[in-house]
Amino acid sequence: MRYYAICDCDNCYVSCERVFRPDLQGKPVVVLSNNDGCVVARSAEAKQMGIKAGTPYYQLSQLFPGQNIAVFSSNYELYGEITGRIMAIIKDMAPQYFRYSIDEAFCVLDGFTSDQLKQWGKDLHDRVLKSVGMPVSIGIAPTKTLAKMASHYAKKYAGYEHCCLIDTDEKRKKALALYPIEEVWGIGRRYAAK
């Protein structure tokens, strides 16, 4: 049976900055847009504080007084270099792959058992983390949309150990029931409004 995997860098721009600043692990970090206008990337800690994407930089100190937030100007050359290394690892480990964005790639996995799929995802995560220092989350499922959904769960729940596999009808139904409709590719925002 054919499965698709989505490999997605966790909080990509922030994680790239943390490669060179490991002291920032566990602390709120944001990356700003061109010309330092507004927040375009946030660490999990910054999201938990309530920092929203698009927050103007000048408002951070007003909205979060006394908070020690690490702020970085965007460095697209650095992000491209680091994610290029990750893509080279994915290319080496996947039978077929194509890059979807700066921090995401699709893989096509044919002929794997469920155990092999889960192990492949875990091995990919471990190799990227060891070689590049970046955390990635992997979602694996029989369709690309379900794989994207699985990657959401891989990021959100530590119990998946960075790899969520949807390989049974029961898992598919549970994933669909719990997934926020506004997150579904292409249609989510329209249907959420209804």
Side-chain angles (χ1 to χ4, degrees), residues 55-77:
T55 300
Y57 172 48
Y58 74 89
Q59 289 183 359
L60 284 178
S61 59
Q62 299 166 11
L63 295 171
F64 305 95
Q67 298 293 325
N68 188 14
I69 303 165
V71 179
F72 290 89
S73 298
S74 51
N75 183 344
Y76 298 112
E77 284 186 41

Side-chain angles (χ1 to χ4, degrees), residues 6-190:
I6 294 184
C7 310
D8 189 2
C9 299
D10 298 350
N11 305 315
C12 181
Y13 297 170
V14 167
S15 294
C16 287
E17 297 292 349
R18 283 176 167 170
V19 167
F20 299 97
R21 289 285 309 275
D23 59 300
L24 294 175
Q25 293 294 337
K27 297 178 182 174
V29 180
V30 298
V31 175
L32 303 175
S33 62
N34 293 338
N35 301 318
D36 295 343
C38 62
V39 173
V40 293
R42 303 158 291 151
S43 67
E45 298 79 12
K47 292 173 185 176
Q48 288 170 358
M49 286 175 59
I51 298 174
K52 306 284 185 207
T55 300
Y57 172 48
Y58 74 89
Q59 289 183 359
L60 284 178
S61 59
Q62 299 166 11
L63 295 171
F64 305 95
Q67 298 293 325
N68 188 14
I69 303 165
V71 179
F72 290 89
S73 298
S74 51
N75 183 344
Y76 298 112
E77 284 186 41
L78 172 70
Y79 309 150
E81 172 67 27
I82 290 177
T83 58
R85 293 178 189 181
I86 294 168
M87 295 301 156
I89 292 170
I90 294 170
K91 182 180 180 182
D92 182 56
M93 290 187 65
Q96 297 178 55
Y97 100 107
F98 62 94
R99 193 168 187 166
Y100 180 70
S101 67
I102 189 170
D103 69 334
E104 280 184 297
F106 280 107
C107 302
V108 180
L109 306 171
D110 289 328
F112 285 70
T113 66
S114 291
D115 288 344
Q116 289 171 331
L117 289 167
K118 183 70 175 173
Q119 189 62 49
W120 179 87
K122 184 180 183 319
D123 290 347
L124 176 61
H125 169 268
D126 292 350
R127 182 172 167 192
V128 169
L129 190 61
K130 183 177 179 181
S131 301
V132 185
M134 288 276 289
V136 295
S137 294
I138 299 108
I140 305 173
T143 70
K144 292 176 186 174
T145 301
L146 283 173
K148 181 67 174 172
M149 194 174 290
S151 75
H152 168 83
Y153 293 122
K155 280 179 189 282
K156 191 168 181 179
Y157 299 106
Y160 286 113
E161 299 177 319
H162 299 278
C163 180
C164 176
L165 170 63
I166 299 175
D167 61 342
T168 66
D169 205 42
E170 181 184 351
K171 288 181 186 176
R172 180 185 61 82
K173 288 177 181 176
K174 185 175 180 182
L176 288 168
L178 296 174
Y179 197 71
I181 187 69
E182 62 270 13
E183 296 290 328
V184 177
W185 270 348
I187 61 165
R189 291 196 178 122
R190 283 190 314 235

